[in-house]
Amino acid sequence: MGFKKSILVINGPNLNRLGKREPGIYGAKTLDDLQLELERTASELSFHLSFYQSNSEGDIIDRIHESPGKFEGIVLNAGAYTHYSYAIRDAIASVDVPVIEVHISNVHAREEFRRESVIAPVTIGQISGFGFASYKLALQVFSQEV
Ligand code: DQA
């Protein structure tokens, strides 16, 4: 059966700690739970999903560089790199694959430093504050023509 799109979900630093990490902010569910839930959403949308997590800036950049021709979209939670990684920003700008920035927490309702995203200007949009639903909403966006 042909997939409508292949989507790459990238989770950056500390997101492997989901479930243990500040559960009052990020919830009790784990990264494996997130993967399972997104695989379900992807199959409902007839998407093929690749799921990747890394704590390393360079590894995230390499995945972005390798995405053209393999993926029609990227859902990116860059974690704290969101706020200061010009290198990830430039990697996104270097490819023609649309990227949606997602966050589990509402970054605009937290510390001042989280309000700035250096990657937002090179993404097609940002979804922040809806828990795991932020990622599912991003998949829904890719099911539209973007
Ligand atoms: C986060 C928000 C970031 O500010 C933080 O550094 C994270 C997670 C989120 O999903 O809410 O690691 O991206």
Side-chain angles (χ1 to χ4, degrees), residues 11-15 18 21-22 25-26 76-83 101-107 110-111 113-115 128-129 131 135:
N11 279 292
N14 300 307
L15 290 157
L18 281 176
R21 170 192 189 199
E22 300 180 86
I25 295 171
Y26 298 113
L76 173 62
N77 185 347
Y81 285 140
T82 304
H83 313 300
E101 174 186 340
V102 298
H103 300 285
I104 295 167
S105 65
N106 178 357
V107 288
R110 299 180 61 196
E111 299 94 329
F113 75 89
R114 295 187 204 276
R115 290 197 189 159
S128 174
Y135 298 76

Side-chain angles (χ1 to χ4, degrees), residues 112-128:
E112 186 67 39
F113 75 89
R114 295 187 204 276
R115 290 197 189 159
E116 192 192 2
S117 166
V118 300
I119 68 172
V122 291
T123 65
I124 59 169
Q126 183 197 65
I127 303 172
S128 174

Side-chain angles (χ1 to χ4, degrees), residues 133-146:
S134 293
Y135 298 76
K136 294 176 196 169
L137 290 165
L139 292 177
Q140 298 282 353
V141 172
F142 280 129
S143 73
Q144 314 293 309
E145 230 21 81
V146 289

Side-chain angles (χ1 to χ4, degrees), residues 19-74:
K20 299 190 185 82
R21 170 192 189 199
E22 300 180 86
I25 295 171
Y26 298 113
K29 291 192 279 186
T30 66
L31 191 68
D32 285 346
D33 295 330
L34 176 63
Q35 181 169 4
L36 279 173
E37 290 187 27
L38 294 188
E39 274 165 4
R40 202 174 312 132
T41 306
S43 87
E44 283 162 14
L45 296 169
S46 301
F47 284 173
H48 176 262
L49 194 87
S50 287
F51 197 82
Y52 178 71
Q53 191 274 330
S54 175
N55 294 321
S56 304
E57 191 177 27
D59 290 343
I60 294 168
I61 291 167
D62 287 342
R63 286 299 173 118
I64 294 168
H65 289 171
E66 291 159 10
S67 63
K70 285 194 195 162
F71 299 103
E72 279 74 47
I74 297 174

